[in-house]
Amino acid sequence: MDIQEEKALRLQIVALIPRLRRFALGLTRNGPEADDVVQMALERAISKIHQFQPGTRLEAWLFRIVRTTWLDDRRRMSRRPAESNEDAVNGFAGDSLPQTDALDLRADLARALGTLTEDQRAVVLLVLVDGLSYDEASEVLSVPTGTIMSRLSRARTALMQALSEQGVRP
Amino acid sequence: MTGKITDEMVMALADGELHGPEAELVREAIAASSTLQDQFDRYQESRRVLSSGFEGLLDRPVPEDMRKLVLEQTAPGGAVVSLEAARVRRGRLFGFNFLSQAAAAAVLLGAAALGGYQMGQNEPATDGFVLAGLLPQDSPISAALSAAPAGTSIEVGGTEFLAVATYEIAEGQVCREFELSRDGSGAVGLACRVDAGWQVEVAALNVTGSTTGQFLPASADAFELVGTALDAKGAYETVAPDQEACILGSEACADLP
């Protein structure tokens, strides 16, 4: 990849940031945390930019990095000793973007998404929110299309049930 | 399912994923069945609810920090640019500098009595190397994996073994994430219990350059390797301490592996 190609690739990544932020918001259900995840994912992406294979789907690559970053972060948060968790949480929130810049999510939808498993949440966001096809979601999540479909079907049922229980009439 | 029409076929039609004769077949079935029609309507409704719930977010301005990061940050080979590094910049307690000194890490490996490792196939491009394999049952690491509760350390041949987390995945298999450290060098890994003992799914070795001499784990790539292995196992949530105690056998527990 020469300099011009890399520059063009970086511009494409910038253009995808809004979608990455929206995806991360759905995963985290918290605007400032979502932006932290995206920021860290972008750092990872740039650090590996020379590993990106031209001709492959950039958005799939970036969605995958965002999800991996989020999962890694969740795991690290959950397994560190309590005092370290506190530092991490403080560090996480303290340097987030200003609240006014962060995205926000309707509370009922955030709660409903919270009833889903991580796998279900990711597939719902990719297919129903971002509009990826089943095959594209399969590429991002590295699972067969049939698995995407079964997760998506169960997730939708659970999601509508959760919204209904909150008195939300879709 | 009604006849040969499954829920997933109905969903695929609602999502625009079916075309041609197959789509027509499902359409006809839906037209003839109020049950399938209800399913179809629910799938469409869930799509509408989700998309409307996230409406307008793409129009929000991109934070300048993110834009500058992508456009201006250099990507030197082997640099550590990671979640952890980001937090270091935020003034967190933890920090590390990753050095690609696989040879030194191999010393650690030997010192930790990690016999039985074999070179893996998925070596990270620039960072350390990856190892995996079945641990001998009499390995001290096997013993540590079987005994140390998450968050606790055991000294193994001059190397500190830290049990990071325990996961119970589908089919009841138990997997444990661990770190090894000695003199600022370290490894992170994932081992899963099998009939023959502990199988190391992946272990990424590295050497840190911590000025404190404390092992401060590992590069983003190392964590990604472990994270990828955890994802592949479907291990997303750590088990609770009481459940872990059952798993490790320190408390009676009839229904855990």
Side-chain angles (χ1 to χ4, degrees):
Chain A
M1 186 185 307
D2 63 28
I3 291 175
Q4 287 307 315
E5 288 171 335
E6 182 179 328
K7 189 176 177 184
L9 183 58
R10 286 174 184 253
L11 288 171
Q12 290 176 52
I13 293 174
V14 168
L16 286 168
I17 288 176
R19 288 170 65 188
L20 302 179
R21 292 179 78 203
R22 185 175 64 177
F23 180 50
L25 177 68
L27 293 175
T28 62
R29 297 169 293 132
N30 176 290
E33 187 180 342
D35 278 347
D36 270 347
V37 167
V38 172
Q39 184 94 2
M40 290 182 271
L42 291 172
E43 290 181 1
R44 278 189 181 182
I46 294 303
S47 75
K48 298 167 180 290
I49 197 165
H50 298 117
Q51 296 176 25
F52 177 73
Q53 301 291 319
T56 61
R57 283 165 43 79
L58 179 63
E59 63 185 23
W61 186 63
L62 292 171
F63 277 129
R64 194 158 49 238
I65 292 174
V66 167
R67 179 171 175 271
T68 302
T69 301
W70 171 62
L71 288 174
D72 287 351
D73 190 63
R74 285 204 55 185
R75 281 191 285 256
R76 293 207 68 73
M77 290 290 212
S78 71
R79 69 203 176 190
R80 283 290 175 191
E83 62 271 26
S84 300
N85 267 341
E86 191 175 330
D87 289 333
V89 169
N90 290 340
F92 211 82
D95 281 324
S96 296
L97 294 165
Q99 191 72 36
T100 51
D101 289 341
L103 304 181
D104 44 29
L105 187 61
R106 251 174 39 207
D108 59 337
L109 198 50
R111 281 193 292 272
L113 285 168
T115 65
L116 305 182
T117 66
E118 328 298 5
D119 286 335
Q120 289 175 340
R121 205 182 309 163
V123 74
V124 156
L125 294 166
L126 291 172
V127 174
L128 300 187
V129 177
D130 207 77
L132 266 60
S133 69
Y134 296 169
D135 287 343
E136 289 167 339
S138 161
E139 183 184 350
V140 172
L141 300 176
S142 303
V143 296
T145 302
T147 304
I148 293 291
M149 293 176 71
S150 57
R151 284 180 187 173
L152 186 59
S153 175
R154 285 196 295 269
R156 288 162 105 148
T157 301
L159 199 62
M160 298 302 272
Q161 173 75 21
L163 285 170
S164 174
E165 287 172 359
Q166 295 179 66
V168 177
R169 289 183 60 82
Chain B
M1 180 173 171
T2 300
K4 292 180 180 177
I5 307 299
T6 65
D7 285 350
E8 290 176 1
M9 290 166 73
V10 174
M11 180 183 72
L13 184 71
D15 288 341
E17 293 270 343
L18 283 190
H19 306 284
E22 193 177 16
E24 195 53 40
L25 183 71
V26 178
R27 274 195 205 97
E28 288 172 4
I30 289 172
S33 164
S34 60
T35 303
L36 291 181
Q37 183 66 55
D38 287 346
Q39 290 174 356
F40 181 80
D41 292 345
R42 280 199 300 274
Y43 284 128
Q44 284 200 316
E45 190 63 14
S46 60
R47 177 178 279 272
R48 188 191 66 73
V49 167
L50 260 293
S51 59
S52 68
F54 284 81
E55 203 170 7
L57 297 179
L58 295 184
D59 300 330
R60 304 280 282 274
V62 171
E64 186 59 17
D65 285 354
M66 289 185 191
R67 201 186 67 81
K68 287 177 67 174
L69 185 158
V70 174
L71 295 179
E72 297 175 11
Q73 182 164 301
T74 56
V80 175
V81 182
S82 69
L83 181 154
E84 297 298 319
R87 287 183 171 155
V88 169
R89 282 197 295 281
R90 295 184 172 99
R92 282 194 55 213
L93 175 65
F94 294 116
F96 64 90
N97 291 307
F98 182 84
L99 303 175
S100 297
Q101 295 182 15
V107 173
L108 167 81
L109 185 69
L114 283 170
Y117 278 85
Q118 300 168 357
M119 292 296 293
Q121 295 181 337
N122 297 316
E123 299 180 22
T126 56
D127 300 340
F129 49 89
V130 184
L131 304 156
L134 183 67
L135 288 173
Q137 289 192 342
D138 60 355
S139 157
I141 300 296
S142 289
L145 284 165
S146 298
T152 63
S153 298
I154 293 176
E155 187 177 323
V156 179
T159 294
E160 182 185 2
F161 170 96
L162 170 65
V164 176
T166 304
Y167 304 88
E168 188 177 16
I169 58 174
E171 291 93 39
Q173 188 180 29
V174 173
C175 293
R176 307 204 73 196
E177 192 176 352
F178 63 91
E179 294 176 359
L180 299 170
S181 62
R182 180 182 181 181
D183 299 332
S185 301
V188 294
L190 178 71
C192 295
R193 200 153 64 187
V194 295
D195 290 343
W198 286 96
Q199 168 85 24
V200 176
E201 301 289 334
V202 63
L205 306 183
N206 67 86
V207 179
T208 70
S210 166
T211 54
T212 65
Q214 179 187 8
F215 169 58
L216 297 168
S219 75
D221 280 348
F223 279 127
E224 268 193 81
L225 284 167
V226 175
T228 300
L230 286 163
D231 291 349
K233 289 280 184 184
Y236 300 120
E237 300 285 350
T238 57
V239 302
D242 56 345
Q243 189 183 2
E244 182 186 60
C246 291
I247 289 170
L248 298 179
S250 60
E251 289 181 11
C253 183
D255 59 351
L256 285 168

